[in-house]
Amino acid sequence: MKHYLLLLLWCPLLGTAQTDLNAFKAFADSAGLVFEMPQGYTAVAVKENPDLWYSFAIINADKSMEVRYTIWSLQPMIEAYKASLKDTTTMMIHPNSHYTGRVQANVLNMTGGIDYNIGAFPPQAVRKEFNATAGGSCFFEFNCVFGEGYRYGQMMYLHKDDTADVIVTFMSNDQSRHADLMRIPFHALKFKE
């Protein structure tokens, strides 16, 4: 399987995988986010995979919906970008532009290279609901190690300028119930006001 990686996606200090709720909340807080555990969900172990790094996962009681959280703090890249402005031998793309490439590369990784349409949320809605600058989602069928045990995925991305990029992946095996299953955990992670 090909893995679609872009150099611009690299970001040091990603954080570590968590199974402890308080540790994940602290990690999210350090990246400018707030996480509230959805009712009826518990933390599950993070599974190593070559497709999409993530730091925390939760699952509902009947195991019909798993949700995985990936957070990239933009602070290290913002600092590097500011330093590049003072160096005439360095040229760097602003970190606020990276999320589009990150999102596309991760969808391609999760689908085995199949290109799906990634829809954007209306700007006013994503600001009101997630305190984000931008966001959107994509529904697809898994074709990767990351998705083992699940057939369907819905990736939601969130971006807040100068703060962080986020991918939340909702995973299930029942397409007819997928949207309903997403409702409870949908707003569990959002940016601070």
Side-chain angles (χ1 to χ4, degrees):
M1 172 188 301
K2 291 182 183 176
H3 293 280
Y4 298 85
L5 300 175
L6 303 171
L7 283 179
L8 63 89
L9 303 181
W10 179 82
C11 180
L13 305 173
L14 289 173
T16 57
Q18 303 290 336
T19 55
D20 178 86
L21 176 60
N22 290 328
F24 178 67
K25 282 184 169 187
F27 173 60
D29 181 69
S30 73
L33 294 136
V34 176
F35 178 78
E36 290 298 325
M37 180 66 87
Q39 185 175 4
Y41 278 77
T42 57
V44 293
V46 170
K47 299 174 185 173
E48 292 293 323
N49 72 90
D51 305 306
L52 174 59
W53 173 87
Y54 66 104
S55 60
F56 190 68
I58 60 176
I59 197 164
N60 63 2
D62 69 1
K63 298 184 179 3
S64 57
M65 171 67 63
E66 183 173 335
V67 186
R68 296 179 181 176
Y69 297 92
T70 305
I71 300 171
W72 293 275
S73 173
L74 295 181
Q75 289 310 306
M77 292 173 60
I78 294 289
E79 291 171 20
Y81 177 75
K82 287 178 181 176
S84 78
L85 296 176
K86 299 173 186 170
D87 182 353
T88 58
T89 64
T90 304
M91 185 173 150
M92 206 175 155
I93 297 170
H94 196 288
N96 288 333
S97 302
H98 292 196
Y99 73 91
T100 56
R102 267 194 179 133
V103 169
Q104 185 66 50
N106 282 296
V107 168
L108 290 169
N109 281 349
M110 289 189 279
T111 63
I114 298 171
D115 194 15
Y116 281 79
N117 182 39
I118 301 167
F121 295 148
Q124 288 180 324
V126 80
R127 271 193 296 280
K128 181 179 178 182
E129 294 182 39
F130 297 100
N131 300 313
T133 306
S137 72
C138 178
F139 180 82
F140 52 83
E141 288 192 37
F142 284 112
N143 184 18
C144 64
V145 174
F146 176 86
E148 281 181 358
Y150 296 98
R151 184 165 181 190
Y152 302 105
Q154 183 141 356
M155 178 275 312
M156 175 176 67
Y157 73 89
L158 299 169
H159 164 81
K160 186 168 186 175
D161 283 350
D162 301 333
T163 305
D165 291 335
V166 173
I167 291 180
V168 180
T169 310
F170 302 90
M171 309 168 77
S172 78
N173 286 307
D174 188 343
Q175 186 174 6
S176 66
R177 293 181 58 215
H178 191 89
D180 287 336
L181 290 168
M182 285 176 52
R183 288 190 182 157
I184 292 173
F186 192 70
H187 292 98
L189 184 68
K190 56 180 75 172
F191 288 98
K192 297 177 192 176
E193 292 187 37

